[in-house]
Amino acid sequence: SKLQFLYFIGSNMQTRILLTAAVLALGSAEHCFRTATDENGNPTRLEGDYTLTSADGVLKVNGSRFHLKGLSWFGFETSTYVAHGLWANDYHFYLNFAANNSFNAMRVPFSVQGVLTNPVPNSINTYMMNTDLVGLRSLDVLDKIIAAAGEVGIVVMLDMHSLEHDGYMENGLWYDSTYSQNDTLTAWKIMADRYKGYWNVVAMDVFNEPFAATWGTGNKSTDFNTWCETVGNTVHSLGVDWLVFCEGVANSPACSDNCFWGEDLQGVKTHPVVLDVPDKVVYSPHCYGPSVAVQPYFSAPNFPANMPTIWDTHYGFIRDLNASAVTVGEWGGIPTGNDLTWMNAYVEYLGQKDMRDTFFWCLNTDSGDTGGLLDGWTQPDTARLSICEKLQPNPTKVVHMEGSNEVCFV
Protein backbone atom coordinates (compact mmCIF):
# COMPACT_ATOMS: atom_id res chain seq x y z
CA SER A 1 0.00 0.00 0.00
CA LYS A 2 1.25 3.46 -0.79
CA LEU A 3 2.40 5.85 1.91
CA GLN A 4 0.38 8.97 2.54
CA PHE A 5 2.07 11.95 4.25
CA LEU A 6 -0.16 14.26 6.27
CA TYR A 7 1.15 17.48 7.71
CA PHE A 8 -0.84 19.48 10.29
CA ILE A 9 -0.20 22.69 12.21
CA GLY A 10 -1.63 23.97 15.52
CA SER A 11 -3.87 22.19 18.01
CA ASN A 12 -7.56 22.23 18.90
CA MET A 13 -10.40 19.74 19.26
CA GLN A 14 -12.05 20.59 15.94
CA THR A 15 -8.83 19.97 14.05
CA ARG A 16 -8.21 16.77 16.03
CA ILE A 17 -11.55 15.51 14.73
CA LEU A 18 -10.61 16.54 11.17
CA LEU A 19 -7.22 14.86 11.52
CA THR A 20 -8.80 11.63 12.78
CA ALA A 21 -11.31 11.67 9.92
CA ALA A 22 -8.55 12.19 7.38
CA VAL A 23 -6.48 9.35 8.82
CA LEU A 24 -9.49 7.02 8.73
CA ALA A 25 -10.17 8.01 5.12
CA LEU A 26 -6.63 7.18 4.04
CA GLY A 27 -6.00 4.15 6.22
CA SER A 28 -4.66 3.43 9.67
CA ALA A 29 -1.91 5.71 10.97
CA GLU A 30 1.55 4.12 10.96
CA HIS A 31 3.71 7.00 12.20
CA CYS A 32 2.80 10.32 13.81
CA PHE A 33 5.10 13.09 14.99
CA ARG A 34 4.83 16.51 16.52
CA THR A 35 6.57 19.53 15.06
CA ALA A 36 8.85 21.80 17.01
CA THR A 37 7.98 25.47 16.55
CA ASP A 38 9.96 28.68 16.43
CA GLU A 39 9.26 31.84 18.43
CA ASN A 40 6.49 32.79 16.00
CA GLY A 41 4.75 29.44 16.25
CA ASN A 42 5.88 28.29 12.81
CA PRO A 43 6.63 24.58 12.44
CA THR A 44 10.31 23.69 12.20
CA ARG A 45 11.77 20.20 12.53
CA LEU A 46 9.88 16.99 13.15
CA GLU A 47 10.42 15.67 16.66
CA GLY A 48 10.68 12.14 17.95
CA ASP A 49 12.11 9.19 16.07
CA TYR A 50 11.26 10.48 12.59
CA THR A 51 13.66 9.18 9.95
CA LEU A 52 13.84 9.64 6.19
CA THR A 53 16.13 7.01 4.75
CA SER A 54 17.48 5.44 1.58
CA ALA A 55 17.38 1.67 2.06
CA ASP A 56 16.36 -1.50 0.24
CA GLY A 57 16.69 0.46 -3.00
CA VAL A 58 13.96 2.99 -2.16
CA LEU A 59 13.14 6.06 -0.09
CA LYS A 60 11.45 5.40 3.25
CA VAL A 61 9.87 7.27 6.14
CA ASN A 62 10.31 5.17 9.28
CA GLY A 63 10.42 2.07 7.18
CA SER A 64 7.40 2.84 4.97
CA ARG A 65 7.79 3.64 1.28
CA PHE A 66 7.95 7.32 0.32
CA HIS A 67 6.85 7.92 -3.27
CA LEU A 68 8.55 11.09 -4.52
CA LYS A 69 7.29 13.17 -7.44
CA GLY A 70 9.67 16.08 -7.88
CA LEU A 71 10.50 19.00 -10.14
CA SER A 72 13.30 21.56 -10.38
CA TRP A 73 12.69 25.31 -10.23
CA PHE A 74 15.85 27.08 -11.26
CA GLY A 75 17.07 30.68 -11.06
CA PHE A 76 18.90 31.21 -7.78
CA GLU A 77 22.07 29.95 -9.49
CA THR A 78 21.77 32.52 -12.29
CA SER A 79 22.54 36.24 -12.52
CA THR A 80 19.03 37.05 -11.26
CA TYR A 81 19.96 35.41 -7.92
CA VAL A 82 16.37 34.28 -7.49
CA ALA A 83 13.92 31.75 -8.88
CA HIS A 84 12.92 32.61 -12.43
CA GLY A 85 9.40 33.64 -13.28
CA LEU A 86 8.87 36.05 -10.40
CA TRP A 87 8.61 38.79 -13.01
CA ALA A 88 5.42 37.09 -14.27
CA ASN A 89 3.66 35.68 -11.19
CA ASP A 90 3.68 35.61 -7.43
CA TYR A 91 5.83 32.79 -6.06
CA HIS A 92 2.77 31.19 -4.46
CA PHE A 93 1.34 30.69 -7.96
CA TYR A 94 4.16 28.31 -8.87
CA LEU A 95 4.03 26.40 -5.61
CA ASN A 96 0.28 25.98 -5.88
CA PHE A 97 0.67 24.83 -9.48
CA ALA A 98 3.16 22.18 -8.37
CA ALA A 99 1.03 21.00 -5.46
CA ASN A 100 -2.16 20.94 -7.52
CA ASN A 101 -0.41 18.61 -9.96
CA SER A 102 0.63 16.26 -7.13
CA PHE A 103 4.31 17.22 -7.02
CA ASN A 104 5.52 16.69 -3.48
CA ALA A 105 9.20 17.61 -3.87
CA MET A 106 11.17 20.48 -5.36
CA ARG A 107 14.86 20.71 -6.26
CA VAL A 108 16.21 24.25 -5.86
CA PRO A 109 19.51 25.01 -7.62
CA PHE A 110 21.89 27.60 -6.12
CA SER A 111 25.48 28.74 -6.64
CA VAL A 112 28.41 28.95 -4.26
CA GLN A 113 28.79 32.62 -5.20
CA GLY A 114 25.17 33.29 -4.30
CA VAL A 115 25.51 31.68 -0.87
CA LEU A 116 28.80 33.37 0.04
CA THR A 117 27.70 36.85 -1.09
CA ASN A 118 23.90 36.68 -0.62
CA PRO A 119 23.33 39.37 -3.26
CA VAL A 120 20.27 41.50 -3.88
CA PRO A 121 18.13 39.68 -6.47
CA ASN A 122 16.68 41.31 -9.54
CA SER A 123 13.74 40.69 -11.88
CA ILE A 124 11.15 40.34 -9.11
CA ASN A 125 7.86 42.03 -9.92
CA THR A 126 6.44 43.38 -6.66
CA TYR A 127 3.49 45.28 -8.13
CA MET A 128 0.44 43.56 -6.68
CA MET A 129 2.46 40.35 -6.31
CA ASN A 130 5.48 39.14 -4.33
CA THR A 131 4.92 42.07 -1.99
CA ASP A 132 6.54 40.25 0.93
CA LEU A 133 9.79 39.99 -1.06
CA VAL A 134 10.44 43.73 -1.24
CA GLY A 135 13.93 44.58 0.02
CA LEU A 136 14.97 40.97 0.65
CA ARG A 137 18.30 39.49 -0.33
CA SER A 138 18.62 36.27 -2.30
CA LEU A 139 18.66 33.80 0.59
CA ASP A 140 15.89 35.71 2.36
CA VAL A 141 13.70 35.07 -0.68
CA LEU A 142 14.69 31.41 -0.60
CA ASP A 143 13.60 31.30 3.05
CA LYS A 144 10.16 32.52 2.02
CA ILE A 145 9.81 30.07 -0.87
CA ILE A 146 10.87 27.08 1.22
CA ALA A 147 8.48 27.96 4.03
CA ALA A 148 5.62 28.46 1.57
CA ALA A 149 6.46 25.15 -0.10
CA GLY A 150 5.95 23.42 3.23
CA GLU A 151 2.54 25.01 3.60
CA VAL A 152 1.34 23.30 0.41
CA GLY A 153 3.01 19.99 1.13
CA ILE A 154 6.26 20.17 -0.83
CA VAL A 155 9.59 18.98 0.55
CA VAL A 156 12.80 20.57 -0.73
CA MET A 157 16.19 19.41 -1.94
CA LEU A 158 18.94 22.05 -2.07
CA ASP A 159 21.12 21.64 -5.17
CA MET A 160 24.62 23.13 -5.46
CA HIS A 161 24.31 23.73 -9.18
CA SER A 162 27.37 25.84 -9.93
CA LEU A 163 30.25 27.81 -8.44
CA GLU A 164 29.70 31.18 -10.12
CA HIS A 165 26.29 32.34 -11.22
CA ASP A 166 25.45 30.96 -14.68
CA GLY A 167 28.57 28.82 -14.47
CA TYR A 168 27.15 25.31 -14.67
CA MET A 169 28.52 24.69 -18.17
CA GLU A 170 32.06 25.51 -17.02
CA ASN A 171 32.12 23.88 -13.58
CA GLY A 172 33.40 20.37 -14.24
CA LEU A 173 34.59 20.08 -10.65
CA TRP A 174 33.30 21.43 -7.34
CA TYR A 175 36.13 23.99 -7.19
CA ASP A 176 38.07 26.25 -9.54
CA SER A 177 40.58 29.11 -9.45
CA THR A 178 38.03 31.41 -7.81
CA TYR A 179 36.31 29.11 -5.34
CA SER A 180 38.34 26.49 -3.49
CA GLN A 181 37.13 23.20 -2.06
CA ASN A 182 37.05 24.91 1.32
CA ASP A 183 34.82 27.65 -0.12
CA THR A 184 32.45 25.02 -1.46
CA LEU A 185 32.35 23.26 1.89
CA THR A 186 31.77 26.58 3.64
CA ALA A 187 28.79 27.23 1.38
CA TRP A 188 27.28 23.90 2.39
CA LYS A 189 27.88 24.69 6.06
CA ILE A 190 26.04 27.99 5.63
CA MET A 191 23.11 26.26 3.96
CA ALA A 192 22.99 23.54 6.61
CA ASP A 193 23.00 26.05 9.43
CA ARG A 194 20.37 28.20 7.75
CA TYR A 195 17.93 25.43 6.80
CA LYS A 196 18.34 22.76 9.47
CA GLY A 197 15.35 24.35 11.21
CA TYR A 198 13.04 23.90 8.20
CA TRP A 199 11.07 20.67 8.55
CA ASN A 200 10.55 20.33 4.79
CA VAL A 201 14.21 20.64 3.73
CA VAL A 202 15.05 16.95 3.51
CA ALA A 203 17.93 16.51 1.04
CA MET A 204 21.06 17.97 -0.50
CA ASP A 205 22.40 17.47 -4.03
CA VAL A 206 26.17 17.60 -3.42
CA PHE A 207 27.20 19.11 -6.77
CA ASN A 208 25.59 19.31 -10.16
CA GLU A 209 26.99 17.31 -13.07
CA PRO A 210 30.72 17.17 -12.22
CA PHE A 211 31.66 16.25 -15.76
CA ALA A 212 35.44 16.55 -15.23
CA ALA A 213 35.43 14.41 -12.08
CA THR A 214 36.60 10.84 -11.55
CA TRP A 215 35.10 8.08 -9.43
CA GLY A 216 37.08 5.66 -7.32
CA THR A 217 40.55 6.36 -8.72
CA GLY A 218 42.12 7.28 -5.39
CA ASN A 219 42.67 10.90 -6.42
CA LYS A 220 40.86 12.91 -3.77
CA SER A 221 41.15 16.11 -5.79
CA THR A 222 38.94 14.67 -8.53
CA ASP A 223 37.12 11.64 -7.07
CA PHE A 224 33.51 12.69 -6.66
CA ASN A 225 32.61 9.68 -4.50
CA THR A 226 35.13 10.87 -1.92
CA TRP A 227 33.82 14.44 -2.08
CA CYS A 228 30.27 13.20 -1.47
CA GLU A 229 31.51 11.48 1.67
CA THR A 230 33.34 14.61 2.84
CA VAL A 231 30.35 16.89 2.29
CA GLY A 232 27.78 14.46 3.63
CA ASN A 233 29.69 13.72 6.82
CA THR A 234 30.41 17.41 7.38
CA VAL A 235 26.78 18.46 7.00
CA HIS A 236 25.51 15.61 9.18
CA SER A 237 27.96 16.65 11.89
CA LEU A 238 26.19 20.02 12.01
CA GLY A 239 22.95 18.46 13.15
CA VAL A 240 20.98 17.92 9.93
CA ASP A 241 19.69 14.53 8.86
CA TRP A 242 19.32 15.25 5.15
CA LEU A 243 19.53 12.64 2.46
CA VAL A 244 22.75 13.06 0.48
CA PHE A 245 22.18 12.90 -3.29
CA CYS A 246 25.27 11.92 -5.26
CA GLU A 247 25.10 12.42 -9.00
CA GLY A 248 27.20 10.50 -11.45
CA VAL A 249 30.17 11.84 -13.37
CA ALA A 250 30.57 11.80 -17.17
CA ASN A 251 33.26 9.29 -18.10
CA SER A 252 34.86 7.59 -15.10
CA PRO A 253 34.88 4.64 -15.41
CA ALA A 254 34.76 5.22 -19.15
CA CYS A 255 31.34 5.10 -20.79
CA SER A 256 31.64 2.90 -23.86
CA ASP A 257 28.40 4.29 -25.27
CA ASN A 258 28.40 7.94 -24.17
CA CYS A 259 27.02 9.13 -20.83
CA PHE A 260 25.27 12.41 -20.22
CA TRP A 261 26.85 14.68 -17.61
CA GLY A 262 25.90 13.29 -14.22
CA GLU A 263 24.82 9.92 -15.65
CA ASP A 264 27.92 7.77 -15.14
CA LEU A 265 27.53 5.85 -11.88
CA GLN A 266 29.35 2.72 -13.00
CA GLY A 267 31.93 3.28 -10.27
CA VAL A 268 29.39 2.46 -7.57
CA LYS A 269 30.01 -1.24 -8.31
CA THR A 270 33.44 -1.08 -6.71
CA HIS A 271 33.42 2.25 -4.83
CA PRO A 272 30.03 3.01 -3.27
CA VAL A 273 29.62 6.20 -1.26
CA VAL A 274 29.81 5.37 2.46
CA LEU A 275 28.72 7.92 5.07
CA ASP A 276 29.14 7.85 8.84
CA VAL A 277 25.35 8.04 9.15
CA PRO A 278 23.86 4.95 7.47
CA ASP A 279 21.02 4.86 4.95
CA LYS A 280 21.39 8.44 3.74
CA VAL A 281 23.05 8.02 0.32
CA VAL A 282 20.85 8.44 -2.76
CA TYR A 283 22.36 7.98 -6.21
CA SER A 284 20.97 10.58 -8.59
CA PRO A 285 21.79 10.22 -12.30
CA HIS A 286 20.85 12.83 -14.90
CA CYS A 287 19.47 11.43 -18.12
CA TYR A 288 18.16 13.10 -21.28
CA GLY A 289 17.03 12.43 -24.80
CA PRO A 290 18.01 13.82 -28.21
CA SER A 291 16.78 17.38 -27.55
CA VAL A 292 19.70 17.89 -25.15
CA ALA A 293 22.49 16.06 -26.96
CA VAL A 294 22.77 13.85 -30.01
CA GLN A 295 24.04 10.41 -29.02
CA PRO A 296 24.74 7.52 -31.42
CA TYR A 297 22.28 5.23 -29.66
CA PHE A 298 19.37 7.57 -30.46
CA SER A 299 19.80 6.79 -34.16
CA ALA A 300 20.31 3.04 -33.75
CA PRO A 301 17.96 0.87 -35.86
CA ASN A 302 16.50 -0.67 -32.69
CA PHE A 303 15.94 2.63 -30.83
CA PRO A 304 14.36 2.86 -28.25
CA ALA A 305 14.50 -0.89 -27.52
CA ASN A 306 18.27 -0.52 -27.14
CA MET A 307 18.00 1.96 -24.27
CA PRO A 308 17.24 -0.24 -21.22
CA THR A 309 20.54 -2.10 -21.54
CA ILE A 310 22.38 1.22 -21.76
CA TRP A 311 20.57 2.68 -18.76
CA ASP A 312 21.20 -0.51 -16.78
CA THR A 313 24.92 -0.23 -17.53
CA HIS A 314 25.14 3.43 -16.53
CA TYR A 315 23.15 3.28 -13.27
CA GLY A 316 20.15 0.95 -13.37
CA PHE A 317 22.20 -1.89 -11.88
CA ILE A 318 22.26 0.01 -8.58
CA ARG A 319 18.54 -0.56 -8.09
CA ASP A 320 19.11 -4.29 -8.42
CA LEU A 321 21.47 -4.18 -5.42
CA ASN A 322 18.53 -3.23 -3.14
CA ALA A 323 20.75 -0.97 -1.06
CA SER A 324 20.82 2.80 -1.65
CA ALA A 325 17.92 4.33 -3.58
CA VAL A 326 18.22 5.63 -7.12
CA THR A 327 16.33 8.89 -7.67
CA VAL A 328 16.81 10.50 -11.09
CA GLY A 329 17.79 14.11 -10.43
CA GLU A 330 17.10 15.48 -13.92
CA TRP A 331 15.22 14.27 -16.95
CA GLY A 332 12.83 15.88 -19.40
CA GLY A 333 12.57 16.99 -22.99
CA ILE A 334 10.40 18.09 -25.86
CA PRO A 335 7.26 15.91 -26.02
CA THR A 336 7.29 15.51 -29.81
CA GLY A 337 9.08 13.32 -32.34
CA ASN A 338 12.14 11.34 -31.31
CA ASP A 339 12.28 13.05 -27.94
CA LEU A 340 8.75 11.92 -27.11
CA THR A 341 9.72 8.40 -28.13
CA TRP A 342 12.65 8.61 -25.74
CA MET A 343 10.52 10.02 -22.89
CA ASN A 344 7.89 7.30 -23.21
CA ALA A 345 10.57 4.60 -23.27
CA TYR A 346 12.24 6.12 -20.22
CA VAL A 347 8.99 6.25 -18.25
CA GLU A 348 8.37 2.59 -19.06
CA TYR A 349 11.90 1.66 -18.03
CA LEU A 350 11.76 3.51 -14.71
CA GLY A 351 8.44 1.90 -13.90
CA GLN A 352 9.71 -1.59 -14.67
CA LYS A 353 12.81 -0.98 -12.52
CA ASP A 354 10.73 0.41 -9.64
CA MET A 355 12.62 3.72 -9.90
CA ARG A 356 9.66 6.08 -10.23
CA ASP A 357 11.10 8.71 -7.82
CA THR A 358 12.48 11.57 -9.94
CA PHE A 359 12.93 15.33 -10.22
CA PHE A 360 11.63 16.49 -13.60
CA TRP A 361 13.52 19.27 -15.39
CA CYS A 362 11.80 21.58 -15.03
CA LEU A 363 9.06 23.94 -13.83
CA ASN A 364 10.53 26.84 -15.79
CA THR A 365 9.38 28.05 -19.18
CA ASP A 366 12.90 29.27 -20.04
CA SER A 367 14.80 26.00 -20.29
CA GLY A 368 15.93 26.22 -23.89
CA ASP A 369 16.70 22.58 -24.69
CA THR A 370 13.90 20.91 -22.71
CA GLY A 371 11.09 23.39 -22.14
CA GLY A 372 9.13 23.10 -18.92
CA LEU A 373 5.90 22.27 -17.16
CA LEU A 374 4.58 25.79 -17.76
CA ASP A 375 4.26 27.51 -21.13
CA GLY A 376 4.64 31.28 -20.96
CA TRP A 377 4.96 31.01 -17.18
CA THR A 378 1.19 30.58 -16.83
CA GLN A 379 -0.23 27.86 -19.06
CA PRO A 380 0.19 24.24 -17.87
CA ASP A 381 1.92 22.01 -20.39
CA THR A 382 -0.50 19.11 -20.43
CA ALA A 383 1.77 16.80 -22.43
CA ARG A 384 4.64 16.96 -19.94
CA LEU A 385 2.28 16.83 -16.96
CA SER A 386 0.68 13.72 -18.37
CA ILE A 387 4.07 12.06 -18.79
CA CYS A 388 4.97 12.87 -15.17
CA GLU A 389 1.64 11.51 -13.96
CA LYS A 390 2.13 8.30 -15.90
CA LEU A 391 5.52 7.81 -14.28
CA GLN A 392 4.41 8.51 -10.70
CA PRO A 393 0.62 8.01 -10.54
CA ASN A 394 0.44 7.66 -6.75
CA PRO A 395 2.90 10.04 -5.12
CA THR A 396 2.97 10.38 -1.37
CA LYS A 397 0.51 13.08 -0.33
CA VAL A 398 1.57 15.88 1.99
CA VAL A 399 -1.63 17.37 3.38
CA HIS A 400 -1.41 20.62 5.33
CA MET A 401 -4.27 21.45 7.70
CA GLU A 402 -4.32 24.42 10.01
CA GLY A 403 -4.96 23.74 13.66
CA SER A 404 -2.77 20.77 14.59
CA ASN A 405 0.93 20.40 15.31
CA GLU A 406 1.14 16.76 14.30
CA VAL A 407 2.63 15.07 11.28
CA CYS A 408 1.18 11.68 10.42
CA PHE A 409 2.47 9.19 7.88
CA VAL A 410 -0.39 6.92 6.96
Side-chain angles (χ1 to χ4, degrees):
S1 62
K2 70 178 184 291
L3 174 70
Q4 303 276 354
F5 180 4
L6 289 90
Y7 171 64
F8 302 93
I9 310 179
S11 181
N12 59 44
M13 183 57 69
Q14 180 182 17
T15 303
R16 166 63 63 181
I17 295 171
L18 291 173
L19 185 152
T20 302
V23 168
L24 290 174
L26 294 170
S28 59
E30 296 181 7
H31 312 292
C32 286
F33 308 93
R34 298 178 69 84
T35 59
T37 55
D38 62 19
E39 63 275 8
N40 298 316
N42 299 314
T44 56
R45 68 187 184 281
L46 302 182
E47 295 185 321
D49 60 350
Y50 158 79
T51 58
L52 177 59
T53 57
S54 166
D56 301 320
V58 297
L59 303 178
K60 296 184 178 184
V61 176
N62 283 51
S64 297
R65 185 77 178 263
F66 186 91
H67 298 278
L68 183 146
K69 182 182 179 182
L71 54 76
S72 291
W73 184 11
F74 71 80
F76 279 96
E77 83 287 8
T78 73
S79 56
T80 67
Y81 301 112
V82 75
H84 283 187
L86 299 187
W87 54 78
N89 294 294
D90 187 275
Y91 66 93
H92 292 93
F93 168 84
Y94 299 110
L95 297 174
N96 289 331
F97 164 79
N100 290 339
N101 285 282
S102 301
F103 288 94
N104 59 13
M106 180 171 67
R107 177 173 175 258
V108 181
F110 67 89
S111 72
V112 172
Q113 179 182 11
V115 172
L116 297 182
T117 62
N118 196 15
V120 176
N122 57 70
S123 74
I124 301 178
N125 184 353
T126 57
Y127 177 70
M128 300 183 68
M129 64 176 73
N130 299 309
T131 55
D132 57 337
L133 305 184
V134 174
L136 299 185
R137 303 187 79 86
S138 178
L139 294 181
D140 302 321
V141 176
L142 183 55
D143 297 347
K144 291 274 192 178
I145 289 176
I146 290 176
E151 292 174 2
V152 296
I154 295 175
V155 299
V156 171
M157 177 166 72
L158 300 171
D159 156 43
M160 184 174 284
H161 207 74
S162 62
L163 298 172
E164 297 84 8
H165 65 262
D166 295 321
Y168 68 96
M169 292 293 289
E170 288 77 43
N171 297 153
L173 294 170
W174 51 93
Y175 61 93
D176 61 11
S177 59
T178 302
Y179 294 102
S180 66
Q181 295 191 66
N182 186 62
D183 292 329
T184 304
L185 199 58
T186 296
W188 269 124
K189 291 177 181 178
I190 291 171
M191 295 299 271
D193 185 62
R194 189 175 189 109
Y195 295 110
K196 64 184 177 183
Y198 286 68
W199 73 267
N200 63 319
V201 177
V202 300
M204 58 184 294
D205 192 338
V206 173
F207 196 79
N208 182 69
E209 299 180 356
F211 58 85
T214 53
W215 190 291
T217 67
N219 185 347
K220 289 186 177 182
S221 65
T222 60
D223 272 356
F224 190 58
N225 58 304
T226 303
W227 183 245
C228 286
E229 293 171 349
T230 297
V231 174
N233 288 334
T234 298
V235 169
H236 286 160
S237 73
L238 299 176
V240 303
D241 61 353
W242 298 342
L243 296 172
V244 178
F245 277 58
C246 301
E247 299 182 23
V249 292
N251 199 38
S252 176
C255 277
S256 60
D257 45 19
N258 292 0
C259 287
F260 280 87
W261 291 357
E263 188 184 7
D264 185 358
L265 283 162
Q266 297 174 99
V268 173
K269 290 179 180 178
T270 54
H271 294 86
V273 175
V274 179
L275 299 176
D276 294 338
V277 180
D279 299 333
K280 290 294 183 181
V281 175
V282 179
Y283 295 109
S284 188
H286 289 190
C287 195
Y288 284 104
S291 73
V292 172
V294 176
Q295 305 285 22
Y297 39 75
F298 294 146
S299 57
N302 61 338
F303 173 82
N306 60 326
M307 295 308 304
T309 299
I310 294 170
W311 293 323
D312 273 345
T313 300
H314 294 171
Y315 55 84
F317 71 91
I318 301 173
R319 178 64 184 90
D320 301 330
L321 301 175
N322 285 319
S324 296
V326 178
T327 299
V328 176
E330 285 188 19
W331 70 287
I334 310 298
T336 58
N338 224 26
D339 227 42
L340 178 59
T341 300
W342 178 90
M343 294 175 80
N344 286 332
Y346 196 49
V347 167
E348 182 178 359
Y349 169 79
L350 293 175
Q352 291 176 347
K353 295 288 290 190
D354 192 21
M355 297 193 307
R356 295 182 182 273
D357 300 338
T358 70
F359 288 88
F360 187 82
W361 186 273
C362 55
L363 172 69
N364 301 54
T365 295
D366 57 344
S367 178
D369 51 3
T370 66
L373 294 168
L374 282 170
D375 295 330
W377 295 107
T378 301
Q379 185 66 33
D381 187 291
T382 56
R384 291 184 177 89
L385 288 170
S386 177
I387 290 169
C388 291
E389 183 178 8
K390 181 180 179 181
L391 173 61
Q392 187 63 284
N394 297 304
T396 293
K397 288 182 172 58
V398 184
V399 182
H400 168 220
M401 292 177 61
E402 295 182 0
S404 170
N405 59 352
E406 285 186 313
V407 177
C408 290
F409 300 81
V410 186

